[in-house]
Amino acid sequence: KQDMHFGPEPGEEQRSTDGKRVSRDSDTRSVSLLEQKRKVVSSSIDVPHARRSEEEVDMDKVTAAMVLTSLSTSPLVRSPPVRVSEGLSGSWKDNGSAGPFTPSSNSSSGGYWSWSAPSDQSNPSTPSPPLSADSFKPFRVPSLGGVGPGPAGPEDPVLDEQDGSSLLFDEPIPRKRKNSMKVMFKCLWKNCGKVLSTAAGIQRHIRTIHLGRNCDSDCSDGEEDFYYTEIKLNTDSVADGLSSLSPASPSVLSPPPPPPSPLPSVSQLPDSHKPMQSSDIKEPHAGGTTPLSRSAPSALYLIHTDHAYQATAPVSIPSSSSNSASSASTSFTPTNSSSFSISWQSPPVTFTGTTVRNPGCTPTCVVGLHLSSSRKVRGEGKKCRKVYGMENRDMWCTACRWKKACQRFTD
DNA sequence: TATGCCGGGGG
DNA sequence: CCCCCGGCATA
């Protein structure tokens, strides 16, 4: 490609650029040298590429909506449905008696839920077994494997997620993608999950709705700041988030054959039906049922939920969902399921699944640690190579030239 | 297949 | 340290 230059060709300006100062040493290889030299050049060059920051500023509402949707849920991401509810609504505390692990409050803050970059892909059904007291030893039993049908079927052991480790891994990866990243602001007010795309917006929301101040924008004493948080997410992830939500999916199935009746669940006592034995962790095993679960419908489901959520803060969820949720949490008594509201709505949008991934670990051990992904998952945005192309290799940032992580277009 | 980049190697 | 590349993981 770029080899020609010098020859008889009169024209061939292109290379002239190099010529600019580097030299006249005629020989071919000079090219290579050139490359190295012109780090200078690179600096000047990249300018045009101003950060893509701006573009994100305005997004059309549609997207925004999408985002919202996912967001509202996101906080929950990390935690099993159960405690989430607690976090948001705080409502069901009283029932707590039943639940062994009520204490989980901490996570509730919602601060966590760090989502990690790699669009998880790993599929929502994270590995971790239900932390419930009655550990799952029973399941995994072959008997169930094949069985799909029974009431048990829908159970999804899946979602849970170990809480203990929850905050272990935050951003193992230094640089994150930033490509289609969108920053949103989420109201942290109890029972309110409002998410807006602008800080001003959220502040106003808080000021007026929660703090009850009518003065508009100006007289902010800054108090609002404490009630909202900034969250980032990239639109892409949202998309896949929807498509592959985990917890939701099981629920999808459940409605039809709801073993535990939807609403009436209250009457039902835990004892009535055995603890969900079915919890077969993730599908890898024979697990007949689950595989189906994840599929398009889930997305719809999610959205639906979300709307409900948005409509009013404390919406109660269609029990069906709650079922699944409760089941997931195992020890959790089905009874109260009805009681807690919104909370769980959404599944982990993105957060590294870890699970399968680490080599050393067997599925079981997965629970505890989230190793950062093996490698780095690969940055999302375009890097020097893509941007400038091979032919302009000299324009790449040094890191790219050395085949190291790009420094110019970090993500 | 193309791309991103880690790990390692040579100077 | 600078410069590269083999090779893997991923898209």
Side-chain angles (χ1 to χ4, degrees):
Chain A
K1 288 81 192 249
Q2 58 188 40
D3 48 324
M4 58 346 223
H5 71 327
F6 68 122
E9 288 304 34
E12 254 6 6
E13 292 299 298
Q14 53 177 152
R15 253 322 172 192
S16 65
T17 53
D18 313 326
K20 67 177 169 186
R21 72 138 47 27
V22 188
S23 64
R24 50 248 4 249
D25 48 80
S26 53
D27 60 18
T28 334
R29 59 182 177 233
S30 62
V31 178
S32 64
L33 292 183
L34 297 184
E35 288 187 348
Q36 278 125 252
K37 305 278 180 194
R38 44 163 183 34
K39 43 188 64 180
V40 184
V41 176
S42 65
S43 63
S44 61
I45 293 172
D46 61 337
V47 179
H49 287 282
R51 316 234 167 280
R52 60 253 344 233
S53 59
E54 292 320 14
E55 54 183 346
E56 53 197 18
V57 174
D58 54 331
M59 64 193 307
D60 54 350
K61 305 196 172 177
V62 179
T63 357
M66 292 294 289
V67 174
L68 289 184
T69 309
S70 65
L71 280 191
S72 57
T73 62
S74 56
L76 321 180
V77 170
R78 279 208 117 313
S79 51
V82 182
R83 46 133 88 90
V84 171
S85 62
E86 168 193 30
L88 294 183
S89 62
S91 58
W92 70 314
K93 48 193 170 196
D94 49 355
N95 311 1
S97 60
F101 50 160
T102 30
S104 61
S105 62
N106 59 4
S107 62
S108 63
S109 61
Y112 295 117
W113 76 281
S114 57
W115 71 312
S116 56
S119 54
D120 71 3
Q121 200 61 6
S122 58
N123 94 22
S125 58
T126 61
S128 48
L131 21 83
S132 64
D134 65 334
S135 54
F136 25 86
K137 47 187 170 199
F139 45 63
R140 190 178 243 31
V141 174
S143 62
L144 308 177
V147 179
E155 309 295 51
D156 67 330
V158 253
L159 61 171
D160 60 344
E161 183 71 21
Q162 58 305 2
D163 32 349
S165 60
S166 58
L167 18 114
L168 281 186
F169 69 72
D170 42 0
E171 61 143 65
I173 3 177
R175 43 186 178 287
K176 300 190 145 185
R177 70 165 58 67
K178 164 231 209 117
N179 197 346
S180 46
M181 208 67 120
K182 176 69 181 140
V183 177
M184 301 295 284
F185 299 86
K186 183 178 194 309
C187 176
L188 294 178
W189 202 271
K190 199 156 121 182
N191 293 335
C192 175
K194 185 126 184 152
V195 177
L196 296 177
S197 59
T198 62
I202 197 69
Q203 286 179 359
R204 185 152 43 77
H205 159 81
I206 293 169
R207 207 177 305 124
T208 59
I209 306 298
H210 300 305
L211 297 182
R213 305 187 184 172
N214 30 11
C215 55
D216 269 75
S217 55
D218 303 329
C219 58
S220 64
D221 53 303
E223 186 177 352
E224 309 88 54
D225 295 310
F226 296 101
Y227 300 101
Y228 72 89
T229 184
E230 176 180 339
I231 46 187
K232 301 185 180 77
L233 55 85
N234 72 354
T235 51
D236 298 307
S237 66
V238 173
D240 49 55
L242 290 181
S243 63
S244 64
L245 328 174
S246 60
S249 56
S251 63
V252 173
L253 294 184
S254 61
S261 61
L263 271 177
S265 61
V266 179
S267 61
Q268 259 183 295
L269 291 181
D271 55 345
S272 64
H273 66 303
K274 62 203 71 193
M276 57 312 298
Q277 34 152 338
S278 67
S279 59
D280 51 72
I281 304 164
K282 66 182 76 167
E283 47 279 38
H285 303 294
T289 61
T290 47
L292 309 184
S293 63
R294 55 187 44 85
S295 62
S298 60
L300 294 183
Y301 174 79
L302 201 204
I303 293 173
H304 163 278
T305 308
D306 199 13
H307 284 318
Y309 171 53
Q310 289 180 288
T312 57
V315 176
S316 62
I317 291 178
S319 58
S320 63
S321 62
S322 63
N323 285 342
S324 63
S326 64
S327 64
S329 60
T330 344
S331 62
F332 210 71
T333 60
T335 51
N336 58 12
S337 63
S338 61
S339 68
F340 72 83
S341 57
I342 36 177
S343 57
W344 74 283
Q345 0 219 356
S346 80
V349 176
T350 59
F351 70 97
T352 63
T354 62
T355 80
V356 189
R357 211 166 251 188
N358 25 3
C361 238
T362 64
T364 53
C365 74
V366 174
V367 180
L369 40 143
H370 300 251
L371 297 181
S372 57
S373 62
S374 57
R375 202 170 180 122
K376 182 173 179 183
V377 205
R378 182 195 218 138
E380 218 263 46
K382 286 187 166 59
K383 297 297 175 21
C384 293
R385 185 191 208 125
K386 283 264 202 60
V387 175
Y388 303 108
M390 283 300 269
E391 49 286 347
N392 295 316
R393 183 152 177 236
D394 41 85
M395 300 170 77
W396 299 2
C397 66
T398 48
C400 280
R401 255 179 285 133
W402 307 159
K403 289 170 80 173
K404 295 294 197 232
C406 178
Q407 294 180 304
R408 186 174 304 171
F409 304 101
T410 59
D411 37 16

